[in-house]
Amino acid sequence: MRPRFIPLLLLALAQGCAPTRPATTASPATLEQQVFTAERAFARTMADRDHAAFTRMLSDEAVFFTGPAALRGREAVAAHWKRFYEGERAPFAWEPDTVQVLESGTLALSTGPVRDPAGTIVGRFNSIWRRESPGVWRVVFDKGQPVCPPPSR
């Protein structure tokens, strides 16, 4: 009896130690829509001038590329971005136009235009979102870049 018990115990331990992905029953289209919704809500925090809501949408491990050194951690990102939430008018706005979600449903990329107050496209953002629990996505990485002006004729 003992020899049978040991392989079963080892199998149970191995299964318990194996890396797992958060289970998802949501379809890829549903997950993609969740990320579009999350990104739009994230952008709305700027329009609404709601820095606290912006901060809640950041992962604890958020990394934002802003200049020569990346900002690391929710608190550092929130502190740096607070200045963009001061004043009555938002200095810029963004909206997603593309979202891709991994098959595992754990990470997603959203990207889209960044506009100045006049509505002119001045850049593009790229955000990586992590699903932290069912239906809850938070920004892990964010990087924007300016757009090249069209060639003059």
Side-chain angles (χ1 to χ4, degrees):
M1 192 162 249
R2 222 176 206 174
R4 283 172 129 182
F5 176 74
I6 291 173
L8 291 175
L9 178 62
L10 292 174
L11 178 61
L13 288 172
Q15 287 176 342
C17 296
T20 59
R21 295 181 188 147
T24 183
T25 56
S27 72
T30 298
L31 295 172
E32 186 177 292
Q33 193 56 51
Q34 287 177 1
V35 177
F36 267 113
T37 300
E39 185 68 66
R40 287 181 184 119
F42 194 46
R44 195 169 44 256
T45 69
M46 178 65 74
D48 292 348
R49 319 306 291 132
D50 190 346
H51 183 258
F54 168 84
T55 302
R56 286 190 300 273
M57 298 190 80
L58 301 172
S59 167
D60 288 340
E61 299 178 287
V63 176
F64 275 48
F65 296 88
T66 355
L71 301 169
R72 294 186 164 273
R74 176 184 289 169
E75 290 78 23
V77 172
H80 180 83
W81 274 64
K82 185 153 182 62
R83 63 192 171 120
F84 299 127
Y85 285 81
E86 295 170 354
E88 290 183 33
R89 288 192 64 199
F92 55 88
W94 68 95
E95 62 190 280
D97 61 14
T98 304
V99 168
Q100 289 292 316
V101 179
L102 290 180
E103 261 186 62
S104 66
T106 56
L107 293 175
L109 167 73
S110 63
T111 185
V114 177
R115 299 177 190 274
D116 68 12
T120 303
I121 295 175
V122 295
R124 284 195 66 81
F125 73 89
N126 298 283
S127 298
I128 305 290
W129 293 79
R130 179 171 55 205
R131 186 171 54 90
E132 296 192 346
S133 63
V136 177
W137 293 86
R138 291 209 170 82
V139 179
V140 181
F141 290 97
D142 185 85
K143 185 174 187 184
Q145 70 271 346
V147 293
C148 297
S152 56
R153 296 182 175 199

